[in-house]
Amino acid sequence: MNAKVWLVGAGPGDPELLTLKAVRALREAAVVMIDDLVNVAVLEHCPTARVIAVGKRGGCRSTPQAFIHRLMLRYARQGLCVVRLKGGDPCIFGRGGEEAQWLRERGVEVELVNGITAGLAGATQCDISLTLRGVARGVTLVTAHTQDDSQLNWQALAQSGTTLVIYMGVAKLSEIREQLLAGGMPARTPVAMIENASLPHQRECRSDLAAMEDDARDFELKSPAILVIGAVAAAAPAHPLWERDVPASATDQWTHG
Ligand code: SAH
Protein backbone atom coordinates (compact mmCIF):
# COMPACT_ATOMS: atom_id res chain seq x y z
CA MET A 1 0.00 0.00 0.00
CA ASN A 2 1.32 3.46 -0.91
CA ALA A 3 2.06 5.77 1.99
CA LYS A 4 -0.25 8.80 1.86
CA VAL A 5 -0.83 11.89 3.96
CA TRP A 6 -3.71 14.30 3.52
CA LEU A 7 -2.87 17.90 4.43
CA VAL A 8 -6.30 19.27 5.19
CA GLY A 9 -7.65 22.71 6.06
CA ALA A 10 -10.18 22.64 8.88
CA GLY A 11 -11.42 26.18 8.17
CA PRO A 12 -11.56 29.05 10.65
CA GLY A 13 -13.55 27.36 13.41
CA ASP A 14 -17.20 27.02 12.47
CA PRO A 15 -17.53 23.26 11.77
CA GLU A 16 -20.02 24.00 9.00
CA LEU A 17 -17.28 25.76 7.06
CA LEU A 18 -15.46 22.46 6.56
CA THR A 19 -15.35 21.26 2.94
CA LEU A 20 -16.97 17.98 1.88
CA LYS A 21 -13.54 16.76 0.82
CA ALA A 22 -12.14 17.44 4.29
CA VAL A 23 -15.01 15.44 5.77
CA ARG A 24 -14.24 12.54 3.39
CA ALA A 25 -10.56 12.59 4.37
CA LEU A 26 -11.48 12.62 8.08
CA ARG A 27 -13.86 9.68 7.60
CA GLU A 28 -11.05 7.67 6.01
CA ALA A 29 -8.39 8.67 8.55
CA ALA A 30 -6.76 6.25 10.97
CA VAL A 31 -4.56 8.96 12.45
CA VAL A 32 -5.40 12.67 12.70
CA MET A 33 -2.75 15.16 13.76
CA ILE A 34 -4.30 18.49 14.74
CA ASP A 35 -3.07 22.02 15.36
CA ASP A 36 -4.18 24.26 18.23
CA LEU A 37 -6.39 26.42 16.05
CA VAL A 38 -8.51 23.51 14.85
CA ASN A 39 -11.97 23.41 16.41
CA VAL A 40 -12.17 19.92 17.92
CA ALA A 41 -15.88 19.82 17.01
CA VAL A 42 -14.80 18.75 13.50
CA LEU A 43 -13.47 15.51 14.99
CA GLU A 44 -17.04 14.19 15.02
CA HIS A 45 -16.23 13.10 11.45
CA CYS A 46 -13.47 10.72 12.60
CA PRO A 47 -14.79 9.10 15.79
CA THR A 48 -12.52 6.04 15.59
CA ALA A 49 -9.28 7.74 14.49
CA ARG A 50 -6.34 8.20 16.78
CA VAL A 51 -6.09 11.97 17.40
CA ILE A 52 -2.73 13.54 18.18
CA ALA A 53 -2.44 17.22 19.16
CA VAL A 54 0.69 18.80 17.70
CA GLY A 55 -0.01 22.48 18.32
CA LYS A 56 2.47 25.21 17.49
CA ARG A 57 1.13 28.49 18.84
CA GLY A 58 3.53 31.42 18.51
CA GLY A 59 5.39 32.09 21.74
CA CYS A 60 3.95 29.05 23.55
CA ARG A 61 5.16 25.56 24.27
CA SER A 62 5.06 23.84 20.92
CA THR A 63 5.80 20.61 19.11
CA PRO A 64 9.01 20.82 17.07
CA GLN A 65 8.34 20.77 13.32
CA ALA A 66 10.89 17.98 12.78
CA PHE A 67 8.97 15.78 15.22
CA ILE A 68 5.70 16.40 13.35
CA HIS A 69 7.40 15.49 10.06
CA ARG A 70 8.76 12.23 11.44
CA LEU A 71 5.46 11.27 13.05
CA MET A 72 3.54 11.75 9.80
CA LEU A 73 6.14 9.72 7.95
CA ARG A 74 6.10 6.90 10.47
CA TYR A 75 2.32 6.45 10.39
CA ALA A 76 2.15 6.81 6.61
CA ARG A 77 4.81 4.12 6.16
CA GLN A 78 2.76 1.82 8.38
CA GLY A 79 0.11 2.09 5.66
CA LEU A 80 -2.24 4.11 7.86
CA CYS A 81 -4.35 6.89 6.39
CA VAL A 82 -2.92 10.05 7.97
CA VAL A 83 -4.73 13.39 8.05
CA ARG A 84 -2.76 16.43 9.06
CA LEU A 85 -5.49 18.87 10.03
CA LYS A 86 -4.67 22.57 10.14
CA GLY A 87 -6.65 25.68 11.03
CA GLY A 88 -7.92 27.63 8.03
CA ASP A 89 -6.15 26.69 4.81
CA PRO A 90 -3.06 24.46 4.97
CA CYS A 91 -1.13 26.68 2.57
CA ILE A 92 -1.90 30.09 4.06
CA PHE A 93 0.65 30.57 6.82
CA GLY A 94 0.13 26.91 7.60
CA ARG A 95 3.38 25.24 6.52
CA GLY A 96 1.39 23.07 4.12
CA GLY A 97 3.91 23.67 1.35
CA GLU A 98 6.88 22.74 3.53
CA GLU A 99 5.28 19.59 4.88
CA ALA A 100 4.13 18.45 1.43
CA GLN A 101 7.61 18.88 0.00
CA TRP A 102 9.31 17.09 2.91
CA LEU A 103 6.94 14.11 2.61
CA ARG A 104 7.14 13.89 -1.19
CA GLU A 105 10.93 13.85 -1.02
CA ARG A 106 10.55 10.68 1.05
CA GLY A 107 8.23 8.99 -1.40
CA VAL A 108 5.01 9.72 0.44
CA GLU A 109 1.97 10.67 -1.62
CA VAL A 110 0.44 13.93 -0.43
CA GLU A 111 -3.00 15.36 -1.13
CA LEU A 112 -3.74 18.95 -0.15
CA VAL A 113 -7.30 19.94 0.69
CA ASN A 114 -8.26 23.61 0.90
CA GLY A 115 -9.85 25.12 3.96
CA ILE A 116 -11.42 28.54 4.32
CA THR A 117 -8.67 30.76 5.58
CA ALA A 118 -9.34 32.91 8.66
CA GLY A 119 -8.86 36.19 6.81
CA LEU A 120 -11.59 35.46 4.31
CA ALA A 121 -13.94 34.00 6.90
CA GLY A 122 -13.41 36.83 9.40
CA ALA A 123 -14.17 39.50 6.84
CA THR A 124 -17.28 37.77 5.58
CA GLN A 125 -18.59 37.17 9.10
CA CYS A 126 -18.37 40.94 9.63
CA ASP A 127 -20.04 41.77 6.31
CA ILE A 128 -16.81 43.08 4.86
CA SER A 129 -16.29 42.47 1.17
CA LEU A 130 -12.51 42.27 0.74
CA THR A 131 -12.73 43.34 -2.87
CA LEU A 132 -15.35 45.85 -3.81
CA ARG A 133 -15.87 47.33 -7.23
CA GLY A 134 -14.57 50.89 -7.27
CA VAL A 135 -13.17 50.64 -3.72
CA ALA A 136 -10.62 47.83 -3.52
CA ARG A 137 -9.35 46.00 -6.57
CA GLY A 138 -7.34 43.40 -4.71
CA VAL A 139 -6.46 41.78 -1.40
CA THR A 140 -3.06 41.18 0.15
CA LEU A 141 -2.71 38.46 2.79
CA VAL A 142 0.32 39.13 4.93
CA THR A 143 1.79 38.03 8.23
CA ALA A 144 3.34 40.46 10.65
CA HIS A 145 5.30 37.64 12.24
CA THR A 146 8.69 36.56 10.88
CA GLN A 147 11.18 34.08 12.24
CA ASP A 148 14.23 35.76 10.75
CA ASP A 149 13.43 39.43 11.49
CA SER A 150 13.24 40.15 7.76
CA GLN A 151 11.27 43.30 6.98
CA LEU A 152 8.15 43.57 4.90
CA ASN A 153 8.02 46.29 2.29
CA TRP A 154 5.54 48.33 4.31
CA GLN A 155 5.63 51.28 1.95
CA ALA A 156 4.57 49.09 -0.96
CA LEU A 157 1.79 47.61 1.19
CA ALA A 158 0.65 51.06 2.35
CA GLN A 159 0.40 52.27 -1.23
CA SER A 160 -0.88 49.11 -2.91
CA GLY A 161 -4.52 50.19 -2.99
CA THR A 162 -5.47 46.64 -2.01
CA THR A 163 -7.22 45.58 1.18
CA LEU A 164 -4.63 44.30 3.66
CA VAL A 165 -5.48 41.21 5.68
CA ILE A 166 -2.91 40.74 8.41
CA TYR A 167 -2.41 37.44 10.23
CA MET A 168 -0.56 37.01 13.54
CA GLY A 169 -0.67 40.76 14.08
CA VAL A 170 -2.01 41.14 17.66
CA ALA A 171 1.43 41.44 19.24
CA LYS A 172 2.64 43.72 16.43
CA LEU A 173 -0.05 46.37 16.32
CA SER A 174 2.33 49.18 17.19
CA GLU A 175 4.77 48.27 14.44
CA ILE A 176 2.02 47.72 11.86
CA ARG A 177 0.47 51.12 12.64
CA GLU A 178 3.75 53.00 12.56
CA GLN A 179 5.04 51.37 9.41
CA LEU A 180 1.83 51.88 7.44
CA LEU A 181 1.59 55.52 8.55
CA ALA A 182 5.24 56.07 7.63
CA GLY A 183 4.57 54.34 4.32
CA GLY A 184 1.93 56.93 3.46
CA MET A 185 -1.33 55.20 4.35
CA PRO A 186 -3.90 57.80 5.52
CA ALA A 187 -4.45 57.89 9.30
CA ARG A 188 -8.23 57.59 8.84
CA THR A 189 -8.01 54.33 6.88
CA PRO A 190 -10.66 51.99 8.35
CA VAL A 191 -9.49 48.95 10.30
CA ALA A 192 -11.49 45.93 11.49
CA MET A 193 -9.94 43.61 14.09
CA ILE A 194 -11.71 40.28 14.23
CA GLU A 195 -11.06 37.82 17.04
CA ASN A 196 -12.13 34.14 16.91
CA ALA A 197 -13.72 34.58 13.51
CA SER A 198 -16.68 32.31 12.78
CA LEU A 199 -16.83 30.94 16.34
CA PRO A 200 -19.67 31.68 18.79
CA HIS A 201 -17.32 33.91 20.80
CA GLN A 202 -16.26 35.97 17.77
CA ARG A 203 -15.67 39.65 18.58
CA GLU A 204 -14.97 42.55 16.26
CA CYS A 205 -13.49 45.95 16.91
CA ARG A 206 -13.79 48.71 14.28
CA SER A 207 -11.21 51.44 14.34
CA ASP A 208 -8.87 53.31 12.02
CA LEU A 209 -5.16 53.21 11.38
CA ALA A 210 -4.31 56.01 13.80
CA ALA A 211 -6.39 54.65 16.68
CA MET A 212 -6.08 50.89 16.17
CA GLU A 213 -3.47 50.27 18.84
CA ASP A 214 -5.35 52.17 21.57
CA ASP A 215 -8.69 50.73 20.53
CA ALA A 216 -7.32 47.17 20.53
CA ARG A 217 -5.95 47.72 24.05
CA ASP A 218 -9.30 49.04 25.35
CA PHE A 219 -11.06 46.15 23.62
CA GLU A 220 -8.53 43.66 25.05
CA LEU A 221 -8.03 42.14 21.64
CA LYS A 222 -6.52 38.67 21.87
CA SER A 223 -5.09 36.13 19.47
CA PRO A 224 -6.27 34.53 17.25
CA ALA A 225 -7.35 37.65 15.41
CA ILE A 226 -7.01 39.05 11.95
CA LEU A 227 -6.79 42.67 10.92
CA VAL A 228 -8.54 44.00 7.85
CA ILE A 229 -7.14 47.35 6.78
CA GLY A 230 -8.62 49.40 3.96
CA ALA A 231 -11.68 51.36 2.89
CA VAL A 232 -13.80 48.19 2.78
CA ALA A 233 -13.36 47.78 6.55
CA ALA A 234 -15.53 50.83 7.29
CA ALA A 235 -18.88 49.90 8.81
CA ALA A 236 -20.57 51.33 5.71
CA PRO A 237 -17.92 51.93 3.05
CA ALA A 238 -18.42 54.91 0.77
CA HIS A 239 -18.89 53.48 -2.69
CA PRO A 240 -18.29 55.75 -5.67
CA LEU A 241 -20.12 53.45 -8.09
CA TRP A 242 -23.30 53.30 -6.01
CA GLU A 243 -23.42 57.06 -5.77
CA ARG A 244 -23.38 57.51 -9.53
CA ASP A 245 -26.64 58.41 -11.15
CA VAL A 246 -27.46 55.26 -13.11
CA PRO A 247 -30.41 55.40 -15.54
CA ALA A 248 -33.20 52.96 -14.67
CA SER A 249 -32.90 51.25 -18.06
CA ALA A 250 -29.27 50.34 -17.32
CA THR A 251 -30.22 48.89 -13.94
CA ASP A 252 -32.91 46.77 -15.61
CA GLN A 253 -30.36 45.46 -18.04
CA TRP A 254 -28.02 44.39 -15.20
CA THR A 255 -30.82 42.78 -13.27
CA HIS A 256 -32.28 40.83 -16.14
CA GLY A 257 -29.40 40.39 -18.55
N1 SAH B 1 -3.66 28.50 8.17
C1 SAH B 1 -4.42 29.46 8.94
C2 SAH B 1 -3.54 30.55 9.52
C3 SAH B 1 -2.57 30.06 10.57
S1 SAH B 1 -1.57 31.35 11.20
C4 SAH B 1 -5.53 30.03 8.08
O1 SAH B 1 -5.51 29.82 6.86
O2 SAH B 1 -6.42 30.66 8.62
C5 SAH B 1 -2.41 31.75 12.71
C6 SAH B 1 -3.13 33.07 12.58
O3 SAH B 1 -4.31 32.91 11.80
C7 SAH B 1 -3.60 33.65 13.88
O4 SAH B 1 -2.58 34.34 14.58
C8 SAH B 1 -4.67 34.60 13.41
O5 SAH B 1 -4.11 35.78 12.86
C9 SAH B 1 -5.28 33.82 12.26
N2 SAH B 1 -6.46 33.04 12.69
C10 SAH B 1 -6.61 31.71 12.66
N3 SAH B 1 -7.85 31.35 13.06
C11 SAH B 1 -8.49 32.50 13.34
C12 SAH B 1 -9.81 32.82 13.77
N4 SAH B 1 -10.75 31.88 14.00
N5 SAH B 1 -10.12 34.13 13.95
C13 SAH B 1 -9.24 35.09 13.70
N6 SAH B 1 -7.99 34.86 13.28
C14 SAH B 1 -7.62 33.58 13.11
Side-chain angles (χ1 to χ4, degrees), residues 129-214:
S129 173
L130 291 174
T131 67
L132 196 55
R133 221 152 44 96
V135 179
R137 50 196 301 172
V139 189
T140 306
L141 306 186
V142 64
T143 176
H145 179 83
T146 55
Q147 278 187 332
D148 55 5
D149 280 338
S150 58
Q151 273 300 310
L152 284 166
N153 185 342
W154 288 104
Q155 192 175 4
L157 289 173
Q159 296 176 11
S160 68
T162 68
T163 304
L164 303 184
V165 178
I166 303 189
Y167 290 67
M168 292 175 264
V170 175
K172 302 262 180 174
L173 290 173
S174 174
E175 181 188 345
I176 293 166
R177 175 184 174 278
E178 274 167 36
Q179 295 281 7
L180 289 176
L181 286 171
M185 187 180 268
R188 292 274 154 258
T189 304
V191 175
M193 298 176 268
I194 306 149
E195 182 185 291
N196 288 308
S198 86
L199 289 161
H201 47 295
Q202 171 178 309
R203 299 194 308 149
E204 75 181 90
C205 174
R206 303 278 181 146
S207 180
D208 63 27
L209 185 59
M212 63 187 262
E213 194 183 351
D214 290 342

Side-chain angles (χ1 to χ4, degrees), residues 48-132:
T48 59
R50 175 164 183 197
V51 176
I52 305 169
V54 287
K56 293 179 68 64
R57 289 295 287 279
C60 303
R61 202 160 52 89
S62 65
T63 313
Q65 188 65 31
F67 175 80
I68 297 173
H69 283 166
R70 285 201 301 273
L71 207 58
M72 286 190 290
L73 184 63
R74 191 202 312 156
Y75 286 122
R77 284 190 172 156
Q78 286 172 13
L80 297 172
C81 178
V82 181
V83 168
R84 172 85 172 99
L85 193 59
K86 292 163 173 287
D89 186 274
C91 294
I92 301 291
F93 311 122
R95 294 185 180 237
E98 279 170 53
E99 293 182 5
Q101 187 186 345
W102 191 91
L103 290 163
R104 284 182 181 136
E105 281 169 4
R106 283 151 186 86
V108 177
E109 187 188 336
V110 174
E111 185 156 347
L112 286 152
V113 180
N114 283 119
I116 297 181
T117 189
L120 302 191
T124 304
Q125 299 298 320
C126 295
D127 285 335
I128 295 170
S129 173
L130 291 174
T131 67
L132 196 55

